[in-house]
Amino acid sequence: MVHCDIEKAMDKLKLKNIRVTPQRFAVLEYLYTYPGHPTVEEIYKALVDKYPNLSVTTVYNNLRVFKKLGLVKELTFGDASRRYDAVTTEHYHVVCSICGIMHDVEFLEPQQIKEYVEQKTNFTIAQYRLELQGICPDCAKEGRQLPTG
Ligand code: ZN
Ligand code: MN
């Protein structure tokens, strides 16, 4: 099971003497509970009603702190958009080609694939990413189509 532990994340913040403001906690909690691998804007939109003083910059700065401590992983894409993942161990993703939502997927152990590829190619694999792309249930239900051309 792919999962992440917010208690451990909180311990790490305390250990590094990083003050956990209500906003900072909210951003962390959102990341650790929402399964869709949000962007900065998505986190901001989800929390601004409850925290009217929140800004996109605050969200971004918090993410930077979390990233530095290894509490989140930043996933970058060709189009320069970024999503944030609270599961920092290696795992797979399934990505909607229309709205970009991303979920974790359990599959063959990453280690097995790594060893297989190393044997076949003599490469030393340092890191990798596997994404399966398709259309998410919400987009399918709404009848959204992939942009053409
Ligand atoms: Zn979608
Ligand atoms: Mn993930």
Side-chain angles (χ1 to χ4, degrees):
M1 183 64 195
V2 177
H3 66 272
C4 47
D5 187 344
I6 196 165
E7 308 268 309
K8 260 191 207 156
M10 292 294 286
D11 287 348
K12 202 156 189 182
L13 287 168
K14 274 180 212 147
L15 203 73
K16 299 278 174 184
N17 289 316
I18 291 165
R19 208 159 63 89
V20 183
T21 60
Q23 290 188 353
R24 178 162 286 159
F25 180 76
V27 173
L28 190 68
E29 188 186 42
Y30 187 74
L31 274 163
Y32 275 62
T33 50
Y34 173 72
H37 301 67
T39 60
V40 175
E41 288 74 21
E42 283 168 2
I43 299 170
Y44 171 74
K45 278 186 200 147
L47 300 177
V48 69
D49 283 349
K50 201 169 164 206
Y51 302 91
N53 294 328
L54 194 69
S55 69
V56 173
T57 309
T58 313
V59 174
Y60 182 74
N61 288 339
N62 276 306
L63 289 169
R64 218 170 43 186
V65 170
F66 299 152
K67 201 176 109 183
K68 217 171 149 191
L69 294 175
L71 302 180
V72 297
K73 216 155 61 171
E74 188 180 67
L75 306 165
T76 50
F77 299 88
D79 60 358
S81 65
R82 290 170 194 181
R83 291 185 169 269
Y84 291 86
D85 194 340
V87 178
T88 54
T89 52
E90 291 181 301
H91 60 279
Y92 306 116
H93 291 125
V94 61
V95 186
C96 178
S97 306
I98 297 173
C99 70
I101 198 165
M102 174 185 269
H103 286 267
D104 294 329
V105 64
E106 288 170 62
F107 196 47
L108 293 174
E109 280 297 311
Q111 193 58 31
Q112 279 175 268
I113 294 187
K114 213 180 231 172
E115 280 163 17
Y116 178 83
V117 174
E118 284 181 339
Q119 259 178 30
K120 286 274 176 196
T121 64
N122 285 326
F123 275 54
T124 303
I125 305 301
Q127 57 164 339
Y128 63 88
R129 236 167 101 176
L130 175 65
E131 280 167 24
L132 305 159
Q133 296 176 10
I135 297 171
C136 79
D138 287 343
C139 285
K141 208 168 74 191
E142 298 289 324
R144 292 183 199 125
Q145 307 270 321
L146 276 173
T148 47

